[in-house]
């Protein structure tokens, strides 16, 4: 049965443009976040602040305090162990999968993203939620010519890890098409925010920075905006749809490093001459990711429209005594 709706003020981390303001937003839901880590905790915080009842799942109870501090109820589940899913407390209206392979190898990728998705679909088929959002990655776009990509662009990654992500997406999309499974996919760009951002941290440590051609485009998104995008897709997304999540301004690696140097009054970063021994997820691609669908169809507006606003906060934090 459909839930009732009420009008609530917009949340600052999901700012809606004028034509979306005042539109009906969902009444409180019972939400499960599988893999309640860097993004999941922020999503939990935003959903709990909006009045939803949120359960945050991790593989062990070690981080329960952080889950509680985000306003969520800690639970334990491992998507690679289906029996642990069936111990979760009851039926959920919304389920989000932000599980990550923790930089694992191919076997872990396959277990977490592909087999994990199969396990979750199977588990939820007895009591399907209204919406299931899966965080995929813009690394599924293998383009190397610097072109703009949107959700209709070919997703043909050159890496084995990328191909596993595409397989996981296909499993979810097939379940949506053939069985009405309420899967919605969010392809997320490189996430940065407090304590994260590989290139930024290399620069701060004074290490040689970057990979490949300095003119290569970077696509980034702040952690809080990933969470805002997930919330928006839960509320307004369409089952079976794919949405890219990236900020409004791709930037070349060289331009980003120059901007950092300027902000910190440091000389330009030494360019890395190291050739990666195994291809990084994004290291060999060169494309600009458009999140126009997310902005125009869902009404999502990033709180940090470009890396400048997002990293200004990280830089300010560095200057604190
Ligand atoms: N980082 C990026 O730039 C980027 C880019 C595109 C997409 N993504 C995707 O965005 C999502 C969120 O990323 P994140 O940075 O928030 O990841 P994260 O901080 O590593 O959090 C992932 C969480 O998943 C949990 N986890 C790991 N294996 C699990 C399993 N088998 N079953 C259940 N939970 C498990 C981990 O907690 P425990 O270890 O305590 O279980 C961790 O808290 C991921 O799907 C990631 O692939 C990330």
């Amino acid at each position: 049965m459909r839930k009732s709706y009420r009008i609530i003020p917009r949340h600052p981390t999901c700012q809606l443009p004028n034509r979306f303001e005042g539109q009906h937003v969902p009444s409180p839901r019972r939400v499960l976040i599988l893999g309640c880590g860097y993004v999941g905790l922020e999503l939990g915080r935003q959903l709990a602040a909006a009045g939803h009842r949120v359960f945050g799942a991790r593989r062990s109870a070690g981080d329960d305090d952080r889950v509680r501090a985000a306003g969520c109820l800690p639970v334990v589940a491992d998507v690679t162990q289906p029996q642990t899913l069936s111990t979760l407390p009851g039926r959920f209206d919304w389920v989000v999968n932000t599980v990550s392979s923790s930089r694992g190898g191919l076997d872990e990728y396959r277990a977490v993203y592909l087999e994990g998705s199969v396990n979750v679909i199977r588990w939820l088929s007895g009591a399907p939620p209204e919406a299931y959002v899966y965080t995929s990655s813009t690394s599924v776009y293998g383009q190397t010519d610097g072109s703009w990509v949107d959700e209709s662009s070919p997703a043909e990654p050159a890496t084995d890890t990328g191909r596993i992500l595409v397989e996981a997406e296909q499993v979810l999309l097939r379940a949506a098409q053939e069985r009405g499974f309420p899967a919605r996919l969010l392809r997320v760009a490189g996430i940065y925010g407090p304590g994260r951002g590989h290139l930024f941290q290399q620069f701060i440590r004074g290490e040689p920075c970057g990979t490949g051609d300095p003119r290569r485009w970077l696509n980034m998104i702040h952690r809080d905006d990933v969470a805002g995008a997930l919330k928006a897709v839960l509320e307004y997304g369409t089952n079976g749809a794919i949405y890219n999540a990236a900020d409004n301004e791709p930037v070349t690696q060289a331009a980003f490093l120059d901007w950092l140097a300027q902000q910190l009054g440091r000389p330009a970063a030494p360019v890395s001459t190291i050739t990666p021994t195994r291809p990084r997820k994004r290291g060999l691609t060169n494309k600009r990711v458009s999140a126009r669908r997310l902005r125009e169809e869902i009404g999502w507006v990033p709180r940090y429209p470009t890396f400048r606003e997002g990293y200004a906060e990280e830089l300010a934090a560095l200057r604190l005594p």
Side-chain angles (χ1 to χ4, degrees):
M1 196 173 56
R2 296 294 303 170
K3 294 276 166 76
S4 61
Y5 285 74
R6 67 189 166 97
I7 296 176
I8 60 168
R10 62 187 189 171
H11 191 271
T13 50
C14 176
Q15 300 162 17
L16 300 174
N18 288 342
R19 71 192 171 89
F20 287 89
E21 272 197 63
Q23 81 176 25
H24 289 77
V25 294
S27 57
R29 296 297 207 274
R30 213 162 177 272
V31 191
L32 173 67
I33 300 172
L34 290 163
C36 197
Y38 189 65
V39 168
L41 284 168
E42 173 58 24
L43 172 65
R45 196 191 62 71
Q46 291 186 22
L47 290 170
H52 300 289
R53 185 167 167 75
V54 188
F55 295 79
R58 302 182 70 128
R59 283 172 299 181
S60 66
D63 267 320
D64 279 6
D65 288 349
R66 297 182 66 203
V67 177
R68 275 198 202 90
C72 309
L73 295 154
V75 287
V76 171
D78 183 333
V79 296
T80 67
Q81 307 292 324
Q83 70 281 9
T84 65
L85 295 169
S86 51
T87 65
L88 287 167
R91 193 190 170 111
F92 299 97
D93 301 312
W94 291 343
V95 177
V96 181
N97 183 340
T98 47
V99 171
S100 121
S101 71
S102 317
R103 294 174 184 267
L106 276 189
D107 288 347
E108 195 172 354
Y109 250 70
R110 186 166 286 283
V112 165
Y113 295 117
L114 183 55
E115 288 157 20
S117 291
V118 171
N119 292 338
V120 173
I121 293 172
R122 197 168 288 147
W123 165 61
L124 286 173
S125 61
E130 292 166 34
Y132 175 82
V133 185
Y134 173 74
T135 46
S136 183
S137 167
T138 56
S139 64
V140 298
Y141 298 114
Q143 285 78 349
T144 56
D145 58 357
S147 56
W148 279 96
V149 294
D150 65 17
E151 294 83 352
S152 65
S153 305
E156 292 162 356
T159 58
D160 290 337
T161 49
R163 282 190 281 269
I164 291 173
L165 294 184
V166 170
E167 267 188 82
E169 285 190 350
Q170 285 168 349
V171 163
L172 287 159
L173 293 174
R174 257 199 316 274
Q177 278 156 13
E178 293 169 7
R179 282 179 279 145
F181 186 73
R184 303 165 186 189
L185 271 48
L186 192 73
R187 289 179 176 160
V188 180
I191 302 171
Y192 72 95
R196 285 271 181 104
H198 180 64
L199 207 49
F200 173 73
Q201 300 201 350
Q202 273 184 326
F203 184 87
I204 296 299
R205 290 193 296 262
E207 292 171 4
C209 294
T211 321
D213 187 340
R215 292 166 302 177
R216 197 169 67 80
W217 292 98
L218 305 174
N219 300 278
M220 299 190 247
I221 183 165
H222 191 281
R223 174 201 63 187
D224 297 2
D225 285 327
V226 184
L230 286 165
K231 182 168 176 286
V233 172
L234 283 168
E235 290 172 343
Y236 306 116
T238 303
N239 294 346
I242 302 174
Y243 303 93
N244 289 340
D247 71 16
N248 299 345
E249 189 183 312
V251 58
T252 63
Q253 196 168 255
F256 176 64
L257 292 170
D258 284 350
W259 179 83
L260 277 182
Q262 207 178 21
Q263 297 301 306
L264 288 162
R266 286 197 195 174
V271 176
S272 173
T273 51
I274 300 165
T275 309
T277 48
R278 90 183 153 100
R280 285 166 49 90
K281 266 190 288 176
R282 283 181 186 71
L284 300 177
T285 67
N286 182 21
K287 74 258 174 170
R288 285 170 283 170
V289 175
S290 165
R292 199 167 126 192
R293 174 179 286 173
L294 193 62
R295 291 196 307 271
E296 295 190 358
E297 291 182 19
I298 305 286
W300 172 78
V301 179
R303 183 177 180 182
Y304 302 99
T306 77
F307 63 92
R308 292 182 201 82
E309 295 80 18
Y311 273 110
E313 289 193 5
E314 302 313 304
L315 291 167
L318 284 181
R319 292 188 185 109
L320 292 175

